[in-house]
Amino acid sequence: MEKGRGDFPLDWERTGKKEEVSGSSGKVFKVEGLLLDDLHRMVMVNQGEVRLTPIEYEILRLLIMERGKVFSSDEIYRKVWNLRPVRVDNTIAVHVRHIREKIEADPARPQYLKAVWGRGYMVG
């Protein structure tokens, strides 16, 4: 067990289900080696910090907060931008590709951010 930002415990040995770890500093969500610290708006993969743009962070946050749920490109757009979507498939696909390049060991074979053919994207 080691200490992370805000003195909340991070158990990097556990894998599997999403964990919500609460500390005095806020909420942290962990999916295997992927960790999202919502208070500090920080993402870590296997203990290394990953720098995401604000939009990339919000997309990943949405998918982690609702782990296992598949979101269409339109749903992601509506929830992240809070706008009515109009032909946004390519926009979301580009953001997802950029997130994968930053968080996945092999973006061509994603471990965290997955596409569900014909339906959308999910963390799982």
Side-chain angles (χ1 to χ4, degrees), residues 2 29 35 46 55 57 78 87 92 97 111 120:
E2 65 182 76
F29 298 90
L35 181 130
N46 298 324
I55 292 296
Y57 178 87
R78 191 171 22 259
R87 296 188 207 161
I92 300 302
R97 180 174 50 100
Q111 175 185 354

Side-chain angles (χ1 to χ4, degrees), residues 15-35:
T15 58
K17 295 180 182 177
K18 173 185 81 174
E19 294 179 48
E20 182 178 324
V21 182
S22 292
S24 60
S25 62
K27 293 197 179 197
V28 174
F29 298 90
K30 183 177 169 213
V31 179
E32 299 177 12
L34 175 66
L35 181 130

Side-chain angles (χ1 to χ4, degrees), residues 46-115:
N46 298 324
Q47 300 181 16
E49 188 171 352
V50 176
R51 297 195 184 271
L52 298 178
T53 67
I55 292 296
E56 292 167 352
Y57 178 87
E58 289 301 325
I59 291 170
L60 184 60
R61 180 181 182 276
L62 169 67
L63 296 174
I64 286 176
M65 298 286 283
E66 302 264 353
R67 183 174 184 209
K69 180 178 178 186
V70 179
F71 285 88
S72 69
S73 294
D74 285 355
E75 289 173 310
I76 293 170
Y77 193 86
R78 191 171 22 259
K79 289 185 180 278
V80 171
W81 278 271
N82 201 24
L83 296 171
R84 184 172 170 251
V86 178
R87 296 188 207 161
V88 296
D89 290 343
N90 289 337
T91 301
I92 300 302
V94 168
H95 285 294
V96 166
R97 180 174 50 100
H98 290 163
I99 296 167
R100 281 184 178 151
E101 289 169 353
K102 295 175 182 181
I103 69 169
E104 301 285 357
D106 180 1
R109 294 187 179 137
Q111 175 185 354
Y112 304 115
L113 184 48
K114 300 181 180 185

